């Protein structure tokens, strides 16, 4: 099935979506690896209070370097101020930026890393991302629209030779994972 975006950019429909109550999904399974449910709740509350959306943070980071595209983005509410961590790719460089979730201000300046410093699989994934017509921002838009939620993170995942966009969305009190396979993303 193909979904039509407002800009008429088709993206594959979610390969699958995992939904569940945030509290239930984040309940500790054992005491050794227990998550602090209260810390997670604070993180989600901080995210809901953010004035800047994940898509806006991506746009801010991409605008810092002409031709940059986002490869990974996540919200970090444990910092003060809460920030989005955005990794962008431009030519043969990877940039990591922190974007203030309240103001959209870029916090600190980070030196770029070379693509050559990455492992072969990561370099291959980024080469495929660069060649795709669709971007992570397109996948975020589809995931938010499909779930009627607000994206909290997004990135790439390769599974069985397919490169997928993985978007985590907060819809009400539910965290939903949406996996989208963009056309042309199969390993050749």
């Amino acid at each position: 099935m193909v979904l039509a975006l407002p800009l008429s950019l088709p993206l594959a429909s979610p390969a699958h979506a995992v939904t569940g109550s945030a509290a239930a999904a984040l309940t500790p399974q054992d005491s050794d690896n227990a998550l602090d449910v209260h810390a997670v709740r604070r993180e989600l509350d901080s995210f809901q209070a953010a004035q800047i959306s994940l898509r806006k943070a991506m746009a801010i980071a991409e605008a810092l370097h002409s031709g940059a595209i986002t490869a990974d983005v996540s919200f970090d509410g444990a910092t003060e101020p809460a920030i989005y961590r955005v990794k962008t790719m431009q030519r043969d460089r990877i940039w990591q930026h922190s974007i203030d979730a309240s103001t959209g201000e870029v916090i600190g300046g980070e030196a770029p890393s070379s693509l050559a410093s990455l492992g072969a699989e990561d370099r291959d994934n980024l080469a495929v991302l660069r060649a795709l017509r669709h971007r992570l921002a397109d996948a975020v838009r589809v995931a938010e629209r499909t779930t009627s939620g607000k994206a909290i993170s997004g990135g790439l995942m390769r599974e069985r030779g397919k490169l997928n966009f993985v978007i985590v969305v907060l819809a009400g009190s539910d965290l939903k994972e949406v996996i989208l396979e963009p056309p042309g993303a199969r390993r050749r």
Side-chain angles (χ1 to χ4, degrees), residues 4-136:
L5 294 171
L7 300 174
S8 299
L9 297 173
L11 260 179
S13 62
H16 72 277
V18 179
T19 63
S21 164
L26 300 172
T27 301
Q29 298 301 315
D30 60 50
S31 59
D32 291 338
N33 296 326
L35 291 174
D36 182 348
V37 175
H38 296 292
V40 171
R41 184 73 256 160
R42 282 191 304 272
E43 180 99 3
L44 294 176
D45 290 344
S46 178
F47 173 70
Q48 289 176 319
Q51 299 298 305
I52 303 296
S53 70
L54 181 124
R55 283 193 286 162
K56 179 68 175 168
M58 290 170 55
I60 291 167
E62 289 176 355
L64 295 172
H65 309 286
S66 179
I69 58 173
T70 301
D72 187 73
V73 60
S74 62
F75 178 80
D76 185 350
T79 63
E80 186 57 44
I83 60 172
Y84 289 98
R85 298 187 187 280
V86 186
K87 291 182 185 175
T88 60
M89 175 180 62
Q90 179 217 33
R91 295 186 190 96
D92 64 343
R93 295 196 169 120
I94 299 290
W95 298 87
Q96 297 184 43
H97 295 287
S98 297
I99 309 295
D100 186 307
S102 294
T103 66
E105 178 182 337
V106 178
I107 300 173
E110 297 190 32
S113 301
S114 168
L115 281 178
S117 68
L118 300 176
E121 184 176 347
D122 288 335
R123 283 192 315 269
D124 183 45
N125 288 349
L126 293 175
V128 171
L129 176 64
R130 188 179 326 181
L132 291 174
R133 191 176 89 211
H134 303 292
R135 299 290 176 232
L136 185 57

Side-chain angles (χ1 to χ4, degrees), residues 122-179:
D122 288 335
R123 283 192 315 269
D124 183 45
N125 288 349
L126 293 175
V128 171
L129 176 64
R130 188 179 326 181
L132 291 174
R133 191 176 89 211
H134 303 292
R135 299 290 176 232
L136 185 57
D138 299 322
V140 167
R141 191 172 15 263
V142 169
E144 287 179 337
R145 190 170 170 196
T146 301
T147 62
S148 299
K150 185 176 167 186
I152 192 167
S153 70
L156 302 170
M157 176 182 76
R158 186 173 292 278
E159 188 174 322
R160 291 185 282 249
K162 297 178 189 175
L163 184 67
N164 297 309
F165 291 119
V166 179
I167 314 300
V168 177
V169 178
L170 180 62
S173 62
D174 293 337
L175 286 174
K176 299 179 180 185
E177 179 182 61
V178 180
I179 300 176

